[in-house]
Amino acid sequence: MPFHFDLVYVASGLAVGLLVGLTGVGGGSLMTPLLTVLFGVPATTAVGTDLAFAAITKGAGTVVHRLRNTVNWRVVALMASGSLPASLVTIFILHSMDIHTAGKGSPMDLFIRWSISICVMLTVCALLFKPRILKWIETNPKAQLKDGTRKVATVVAFAIIGMLVTVSSIGAGAIGAMVLVMLYPTMKSAEIAGTDIAYAVPLTAVAAFGHYGLGTLDFSLLGALLLGSIPGITVGSYLSRAVPEKFLRGVLATTLTAVAAKLVM
């Protein structure tokens, strides 16, 4: 890979890290479309590399949340019991479909691109409707699930998310957090964030390992992205309180909508 391309990828990692730090939205909904649309990276490679990228960065985030005691490990276990088996099954299916041989414009490439686009739009919905959903849950306490039903719903919901994440690398962040808010409305915001990040580490690690076996993980690209994202997410986290959240979410939702459309055009 030429050196100037390395610098472009480092800059991309920096920009995505900064936005993740500012908004809290998972890097997958930003990084995977960026690599695919702007840089022409094959969709399969973008997904595999971003999964490894997410596993490493969210691993660091989990350490911080563990120290702050903002991880609900009981809920993490339920989430993982649904998402990890689903991810393994999805990897097996992708392997049987020879995903590593899929070139640009092939049916498999189009399938991955559509999957990314759909997951990006789900992320946009989570960004835009989160305040309304929270308000509805607060004013309708009787609609909240009972403990036994909630456990089953958690396993099922995150099994679906596990499949989405394995195919598109998107969904563990904003979508996962939104589902947690709906299922566990009494959890504090910090605990929602910490629990969502903690469960995403084994999920993205398993999915990334599966993509490594499929030959869809680019280590040189991964290194360049991490080189930029680590300082970016650090700076973004410090600046997050200084920038209006509503403005950021609006800009991000508009950008992601345009990217989702471009992916399937």
Side-chain angles (χ1 to χ4, degrees), residues 211-235:
H211 275 269
Y212 171 72
L214 295 171
T216 55
L217 202 162
D218 188 326
F219 284 100
S220 60
L221 174 58
L222 173 62
L225 295 175
L226 288 171
L227 191 61
S229 69
I230 293 172
I233 197 169
T234 303
V235 173

Side-chain angles (χ1 to χ4, degrees), residues 78 144-156 183-184:
L78 290 172
Q144 297 177 21
L145 298 177
K146 303 298 181 182
D147 192 51
T149 307
R150 183 184 289 115
K151 289 179 180 179
V152 174
T154 302
V155 173
V156 173
L183 293 175
Y184 300 90

Side-chain angles (χ1 to χ4, degrees), residues 70-147:
T70 52
V71 178
N72 188 319
W73 294 106
R74 181 181 61 84
V75 177
V76 168
L78 290 172
M79 297 159 77
S81 66
S83 62
L84 296 185
S87 178
L88 291 171
V89 170
T90 306
I91 285 291
F92 176 79
I93 294 172
L94 293 175
H95 192 279
S96 68
M97 298 171 71
D98 292 327
I99 186 176
H100 59 284
T101 63
K104 190 172 183 179
S106 67
M108 177 54 68
D109 180 71
L110 292 175
F111 170 72
I112 298 295
R113 291 170 74 91
W114 270 99
S115 298
I116 295 171
S117 182
I118 291 170
C119 288
V120 168
M121 289 310 301
L122 288 174
T123 299
V124 171
C125 290
L127 284 170
L128 294 178
F129 296 110
K130 181 180 178 180
R132 294 184 182 180
I133 293 173
L134 282 172
K135 186 176 180 179
W136 185 87
I137 291 174
E138 289 175 359
T139 56
N140 294 273
K142 292 183 179 180
Q144 297 177 21
L145 298 177
K146 303 298 181 182
D147 192 51

Side-chain angles (χ1 to χ4, degrees), residues 27 30 35 59 64 107 126 156 167 178 183 207 209-210 220 226 241 249:
L30 296 164
L35 293 174
V64 176
V156 173
V167 172
M178 189 69 261
L183 293 175
F209 186 76
S220 60
L226 288 171
R241 293 183 179 179
R249 288 181 177 273

Side-chain angles (χ1 to χ4, degrees), residues 247-262:
F247 170 77
L248 281 173
R249 288 181 177 273
V251 171
L252 193 56
T254 302
T255 303
L256 289 175
T257 302
V259 168
K262 180 67 176 176

